Amino acid sequence: MKAFLILEDGNVFTGTSIGAQKEVISEIVFNTSMTGYLEVLTDPSYAGQAVVMTYPLIGNYGICNEDMESLKPWPDAYIVRELSRIPSNFRSEDSIQNFLEKYEIPGIAGIDTRALTKILREKGTMNGMITTNEDYDLNEIIPKLKEYIAVSVVEKVTCKEKRILKGAGLNVALMDFGAKDNIAQSLNRRGCNVTVYPALTTADEIMKSNPDGIMLSNGPGDPKECKSIINEIKKLYQSDIPIFAICLGHQLMALATGADTHKMKYGHRGGNHPVKDLETNRVYISSQNHGYVVDVEGLDSNIAVPAFVNVNDGTNEGLKYKNKNIFTVQFHPEACPGPQDSGYLFDRFIEMMEGSK
């Protein structure tokens, strides 16, 4: 069946319908990863977005449920050049087409994703519609696209009640703003007893559990929308509990301490972003998924200083807080994009917790 991707600037791409056959309006973003499409699909940070995969062939190694980063996929839609119908992998349990249908994710294949990505890079992230209706009316659709805003996405993706990954070591409270499963698992593999809390849990409840450390997770959407969460993080900041924050958690901590954030032109989404640790001058290849960034120009150096920087565009990739056991990063240390990735940051967090006991 024919499908159409209509962008708010009036560009239209014609391809083939994949996954669920339903109409959807969403923010269109692109991911440059060559592998890891299942991890992308099941990353809650993509809630409220339709994902364009720049790598031309998607689905060739099938679906392995063990690799999922959450219980279900979160993007509104999926956009690819070519969808592999016959996966080849001894671990494969299903095809990506069946996976998209099962979870009612619509999509489009057979379009020029390179041309689409160039438009998004040059003009910036924009909204779009995927439809199978051949009688679409641009004059009617484009105003709807320009009006669309994804709201309350953190509340949509967070867990509904707290859960525990048992361990014999340090007790970590993980605030779930849309956490990838491997964050809790990375702590648990290091012996930590991890309690995962819903996003709207109060700071008082967290502190009453007397954790050795607090983890603020990744998540979707505009960080400035999370006003009640930011107020609770302000209270956590006033405590002496060690805190490590990733992605959205990094942005929320910055906002809670008086810094500002802004939306990027087209964001960082992929598995090949170089970041420099400003303390060691060592560069790491990182996995990233964010459309907002912390403004370092207005950063109060008495509160925090830049700890990591993006080598490509110079944007902030992490902060170290003064006179506090707090550090935050914009990228994903729980992912493994390079042979020597940034998983050591979890070890640094554990050393910080041990040092503060």
Side-chain angles (χ1 to χ4, degrees), residues 104-121:
E104 298 185 340
I105 305 294
I108 184 169
I111 68 169
D112 188 343
T113 50
R114 179 174 292 185
L116 173 56
T117 300
K118 286 180 72 175
I119 290 172
L120 297 176
R121 282 179 60 92

Side-chain angles (χ1 to χ4, degrees), residues 277-288:
D277 185 331
L278 296 177
E279 187 175 318
T280 64
N281 279 330
R282 186 170 179 178
V283 175
Y284 296 89
I285 299 301
S286 69
S287 174
Q288 301 200 12

Side-chain angles (χ1 to χ4, degrees), residues 160-338:
K160 305 308 177 193
E161 54 187 30
K162 71 178 182 181
R163 59 188 177 89
I164 298 174
L165 278 74
K166 291 185 178 180
L170 297 161
N171 292 306
V172 177
L174 170 57
M175 297 296 294
D176 177 13
F177 307 134
K180 293 166 65 180
D181 283 351
N182 206 27
I183 293 176
Q185 291 166 4
S186 294
L187 292 165
N188 194 235
R189 283 194 295 269
R190 288 166 170 82
C192 295
N193 187 74
V194 183
T195 305
V196 184
Y197 289 89
L200 299 180
T201 304
T202 64
D204 288 342
E205 182 177 344
I206 297 292
M207 290 187 288
K208 280 179 183 176
S209 69
N210 196 30
D212 296 308
I214 299 170
M215 188 97 210
L216 307 180
S217 83
N218 64 293
D222 183 347
K224 290 180 181 176
E225 188 187 296
C226 304
K227 291 181 173 61
S228 63
I229 296 173
I230 291 169
N231 287 333
E232 297 305 314
I233 292 176
K234 287 179 182 178
K235 299 173 188 175
L236 295 176
Y237 173 79
Q238 296 300 327
S239 74
D240 293 323
I241 304 170
I243 298 175
F244 177 24
I246 292 173
C247 201
L248 178 62
H250 153 78
Q251 298 162 9
L252 294 175
M253 177 59 76
L255 289 169
T257 53
D260 198 8
T261 60
H262 70 265
K263 189 171 185 176
M264 305 175 77
K265 185 176 181 180
Y266 50 81
H268 294 158
R269 297 175 182 88
N272 59 348
H273 291 265
V275 296
K276 180 188 281 190
D277 185 331
L278 296 177
E279 187 175 318
T280 64
N281 279 330
R282 186 170 179 178
V283 175
Y284 296 89
I285 299 301
S286 69
S287 174
Q288 301 200 12
N289 172 16
H290 63 102
Y292 293 82
V293 67
V294 173
D295 295 327
V296 291
E297 292 79 10
L299 200 63
D300 186 343
S301 59
N302 294 315
I303 294 177
V305 294
F308 289 88
V309 65
N310 189 291
V311 177
N312 286 338
D313 62 14
T315 54
N316 179 254
E317 293 284 359
L319 297 172
K320 179 176 175 56
Y321 285 77
K322 294 283 193 72
N323 305 314
K324 288 282 185 178
N325 286 321
I326 301 174
F327 70 99
T328 68
V329 295
Q330 181 63 77
F331 52 96
H332 285 266
E334 82 286 347
C336 303

